[in-house]
Amino acid sequence: MKLSLTVLGVILLSACSQKKEIFTQKENNDVFTDSIISSVVKENKQIKVDSLIQIDYLAYSFKYLNKDFKILIDNNSFNKSLKENHYIEERIKNYSDSLGVVLMYELNDWDATRIAKQQITFSWKRLGYYLHRSDRDLKNLNIKYEYKHPYLMFRHFKSNDEESEFKKAEINRIKNILVTDFKQDYNMITKLSNEEILNKSFELNPEIIRMRNEAAKEHQKLHQH
């Protein structure tokens, strides 16, 4: 039996259409699967990071740092970390840079290295950006409250569990600054956790805004040449 060209064309078009639908469905399934995998990976990473944040790296027994976080690593191990972790040697210019190299060699995890470094290098000056106090002012306060490291005072402030009159007074002072000086909504501020209050205080600090703007301008200049 012979088929007319018209009928044959219809059959071919139908077959192509079905094939396209199968490919489209497979493509959609692949996108859906990739989305699920990506979501699970992100969730697992966040669980990991949340777990690492709970570690007190200030009390951690490091092999290559002493109790005052002075670097003790030998040159061979330091250079090995540079090479294995693909650091650019020319960009290692100060203690903070070197600390990252050493922590990565010891902890062998980028997230752990980042979090440990944030805790160790957290300064009175940085704490002042959150609390809107000078670092000298904070050091004078610490004579009374005796925190061994500025990050310990910061951790006490951002926790919703550990209460103290000192902490309560400081958090209330920051709330007032946010509402009065930065025109934040009072009802919104009262609903925030201590950590959220501190983060908002940091973000709105004029000095932080100035430094970020300057960094953005420098970044733009570098990419113009």
Side-chain angles (χ1 to χ4, degrees):
M1 182 175 66
K2 294 183 179 181
L3 295 173
S4 70
L5 290 176
T6 302
V7 173
L8 183 60
V10 169
I11 292 172
L12 288 173
L13 284 172
S14 177
C16 288
S17 178
Q18 289 177 0
K19 190 174 182 181
K20 185 177 180 182
E21 285 180 8
I22 291 171
F23 279 128
T24 302
Q25 184 177 3
K26 182 179 183 302
E27 194 175 84
N28 289 338
N29 287 341
D30 288 345
V31 170
F32 181 67
T33 302
D34 289 345
S35 177
I36 292 176
I37 292 172
S38 177
S39 178
V40 170
V41 168
K42 286 180 181 178
E43 184 178 349
N44 288 340
K45 180 176 175 62
Q46 190 57 51
I47 291 171
K48 171 197 167 189
V49 169
D50 289 343
S51 175
L52 290 170
I53 288 173
Q54 301 307 313
I55 298 174
D56 182 1
Y57 286 104
L58 299 177
Y60 193 91
S61 181
F62 289 105
K63 181 178 179 180
Y64 299 107
L65 299 173
N66 70 8
K67 62 182 180 64
D68 296 316
F69 308 110
K70 182 179 178 180
I71 294 172
L72 304 175
I73 198 169
D74 59 275
N75 286 335
N76 288 338
S77 298
F78 187 85
N79 290 332
K80 185 179 178 182
S81 181
L82 282 174
K83 184 177 179 180
E84 290 183 350
N85 298 304
H86 308 290
Y87 285 101
I88 299 173
E89 189 171 354
E90 292 75 18
R91 294 183 181 177
I92 309 302
K93 298 179 178 180
N94 52 40
Y95 168 77
S96 181
D97 297 335
S98 299
L99 177 63
V101 177
V102 173
L103 289 172
M104 188 59 195
Y105 187 71
E106 181 150 347
L107 301 174
N108 195 32
D109 184 278
W110 288 109
D111 289 319
T113 294
R114 174 176 56 82
I115 292 165
K117 184 180 173 183
Q118 284 175 348
Q119 291 187 17
I120 292 169
T121 61
F122 197 93
S123 64
W124 293 111
K125 189 175 187 67
R126 185 171 181 84
L127 180 58
Y129 293 140
Y130 287 93
L131 303 183
H132 293 269
R133 286 185 178 276
S134 68
D135 52 337
R136 178 179 292 182
D137 191 14
L138 286 168
K139 286 177 183 178
N140 289 335
L141 277 174
N142 197 48
I143 292 173
K144 179 178 180 181
Y145 295 100
E146 297 183 340
Y147 288 93
K148 293 181 180 179
H149 192 281
Y151 183 77
L152 296 176
M153 185 185 286
F154 176 68
R155 188 171 64 189
H156 175 60
F157 280 136
K158 73 176 184 175
S159 167
N160 285 323
D161 300 325
E162 306 169 30
E163 290 301 332
S164 71
E165 289 303 314
F166 171 47
K167 171 181 171 179
K168 185 177 179 180
E170 282 299 302
I171 293 295
N172 285 335
R173 187 181 63 82
I174 297 168
K175 286 180 181 178
N176 288 333
I177 289 173
L178 290 173
V179 172
T180 305
D181 295 356
F182 298 112
K183 311 305 178 187
Q184 299 296 294
D185 181 72
Y186 174 80
N187 291 326
M188 180 271 289
I189 291 297
T190 58
K191 294 175 183 177
L192 298 179
S193 66
N194 289 343
E195 185 171 5
E196 289 170 330
I197 289 169
L198 289 168
N199 288 338
K200 184 164 286 293
S201 175
F202 183 85
E203 291 168 6
L204 294 174
N205 190 303
E207 186 64 14
I208 295 299
I209 294 172
R210 183 190 65 78
M211 288 191 292
R212 284 178 173 170
N213 288 339
E214 287 183 358
K217 288 177 183 177
E218 286 299 317
H219 181 77
Q220 190 175 16
K221 284 181 183 177
L222 287 173
H223 286 76
Q224 284 177 344
H225 298 290

